[in-house]
Amino acid sequence: KVVCVTGASGFIASWIVKFLLQRGYTVRATVRDPGNPKKVSHLANLEGAQERLHLFKADLLEEGSFDSVVEGCHAVFHTASPVRFVVNNPQVELIDPAVKGTLNVLKSCAKSSSVKRVVLTSSISAVAFTGRPKTPETVVDETWFSDPDFCRELELWYTLSKTLAEDAAWKFVNENNIDMIVLNPTMVAGPLLPAEINESVEPILNLINGKPFPNRSFGWVNVKDVAIAHILAYEIASASGRYILSERVIHYSELARTLRQLYPTLQIPDKCEVDEPYMPTYQISTDKAKKDLGIEFTPLEVSVRETVESFREKKILN
Ligand code: NDP
């Protein structure tokens, strides 16, 4: 079967492409710059790529850019969206590509006669930022939707972009009768296939480089589990709605402790950026992903070890 992956050169998408090729699919992969070896050589080197991987140039903000790629595909995995936590112009750098880009891809799907299901990579960002206080007793699940006003108030621009994009996607698919499954991963760690490191593994590199950690608690999940969940969300006909993907919620101090335990010779700081009580952790329910998709989440310690080994392999670390 022929399927499409948007933003194929990215951290998560590269693993989706790798697993799709392993499972025998023909993959149409969209990238912004197919001429840049940094963006595509890791894809071209995947097993099965020569025979079944086809690269297409497409940009989220170019109307109709995805029309010809999507036509003929059974499934579209829409992962492309800017992942940046520091920006100068949130509307231009994050919100427009996330929201207009998602609608652009969905419009191509609506026009196509072949697409049976769309799998959208959303985020826990579109779930957990409601303004409701989170305590160790709080259980975040798929019924939660982040509040755009709360995101604006706290200037959480990436979070806002993912919240608005998922919301716009649900409205569009409901109006246009498109079958869509949404995945909501927490912070993603694990082995890097692309040449460049991405924003979600940077906190791990920062700790290794001795930077004090933020006073934050986040969920973490392995990139391979996220990629497989995308494919299962397409393959399992009875899958529906949203799926949160997370192995564990931890405070950064605990991430630092995990790194110290795994790598006693590294100088991992035991120092928070601010001198205030640690933000509490909370719970994230992944019952739905476990039950419907049969996902078993890789322990965080393994994900952290894989991330660090990957830094070493890529000579980001000695
Ligand atoms: P990456 O930065 O590795 O990948 C993002 C991809 O989006 C890149 O391939 C990038 O293309 C593409 N992209 C960005 N802007 C545009 C544009 N204007 N037109 C076309 N493509 C564009 O990040 P991840 O793999 O981490 O993220 C993939 C998806 O997963 C995103 O939707 C993200 O929001 C979501 N996600 C990520 C999490 C994480 O912790 N990493 C957690 C939860 C969700 P290019 O290579 O050309 O720059």
Side-chain angles (χ1 to χ4, degrees), residues 67-219:
D67 283 0
S68 58
V69 193
V70 159
E71 184 53 57
C73 291
H74 281 245
V76 172
F77 298 89
H78 176 45
T79 83
S81 204
V83 183
R84 294 169 63 188
F85 301 127
V86 183
V87 288
N88 295 317
N89 187 333
Q91 187 68 38
V92 170
E93 293 172 59
L94 288 170
I95 297 166
D96 283 349
V99 180
K100 291 183 185 167
T102 298
L103 291 175
N104 197 14
V105 171
L106 289 176
K107 277 180 200 159
S108 303
C109 297
K111 281 186 231 166
S112 131
S113 53
S114 60
V115 175
K116 299 286 176 272
R117 181 168 275 184
V118 176
V119 180
L120 172 72
T121 320
S122 183
S123 167
I124 195 72
S125 296
V127 179
F129 294 79
T130 61
R132 274 188 260 174
K134 295 197 204 89
T135 68
E137 288 74 45
T138 310
V139 182
V140 176
D141 66 17
E142 284 85 356
T143 62
W144 288 46
F145 285 86
S146 294
D147 174 4
D149 290 334
F150 177 71
C151 300
R152 283 190 196 96
E153 215 175 287
L154 296 189
E155 302 192 351
L156 301 171
W157 304 121
Y158 169 75
T159 306
L160 179 64
S161 76
K162 297 301 286 181
T163 302
L164 295 177
E166 192 191 317
D167 187 51
W170 282 122
K171 285 202 178 95
F172 186 89
V173 298
N174 288 335
E175 282 161 12
N176 290 274
N177 210 16
I178 294 174
D179 179 25
M180 179 177 78
I181 309 292
V182 169
L183 297 177
N184 303 88
T186 49
M187 291 280 276
V188 181
L192 303 155
L193 295 176
E196 290 165 337
I197 84 158
N198 94 322
E199 295 263 347
S200 66
V201 294
E202 220 167 83
I204 298 177
L205 191 60
N206 287 344
L207 282 172
I208 294 171
N209 287 333
K211 289 197 186 158
F213 47 78
N215 184 12
R216 289 276 155 75
S217 296
F218 279 128

Side-chain angles (χ1 to χ4, degrees), residues 168-286:
W170 282 122
K171 285 202 178 95
F172 186 89
V173 298
N174 288 335
E175 282 161 12
N176 290 274
N177 210 16
I178 294 174
D179 179 25
M180 179 177 78
I181 309 292
V182 169
L183 297 177
N184 303 88
T186 49
M187 291 280 276
V188 181
L192 303 155
L193 295 176
E196 290 165 337
I197 84 158
N198 94 322
E199 295 263 347
S200 66
V201 294
E202 220 167 83
I204 298 177
L205 191 60
N206 287 344
L207 282 172
I208 294 171
N209 287 333
K211 289 197 186 158
F213 47 78
N215 184 12
R216 289 276 155 75
S217 296
F218 279 128
W220 287 86
V221 63
N222 190 289
V223 67
K224 289 177 279 182
D225 298 343
V226 174
I228 282 292
H230 278 74
I231 299 172
L232 293 174
Y234 159 55
E235 290 180 342
I236 298 175
S238 58
S240 73
R242 313 166 97 194
Y243 290 99
I244 293 177
L245 306 172
S246 178
E247 196 270 326
R248 203 181 309 170
V249 180
I250 50 161
H251 187 268
Y252 267 111
S253 56
E254 220 174 301
L255 183 63
R257 190 164 54 235
T258 303
L259 271 166
R260 265 195 302 277
Q261 278 163 359
L262 289 171
Y263 299 99
T265 57
L266 293 178
Q267 302 293 313
I268 309 295
D270 191 12
K271 190 171 166 28
C272 187
E273 277 171 358
V274 288
D275 186 16
E276 54 189 43
Y278 283 173
M279 187 180 167
T281 57
Y282 49 94
Q283 299 171 54
I284 291 185
S285 166
T286 50

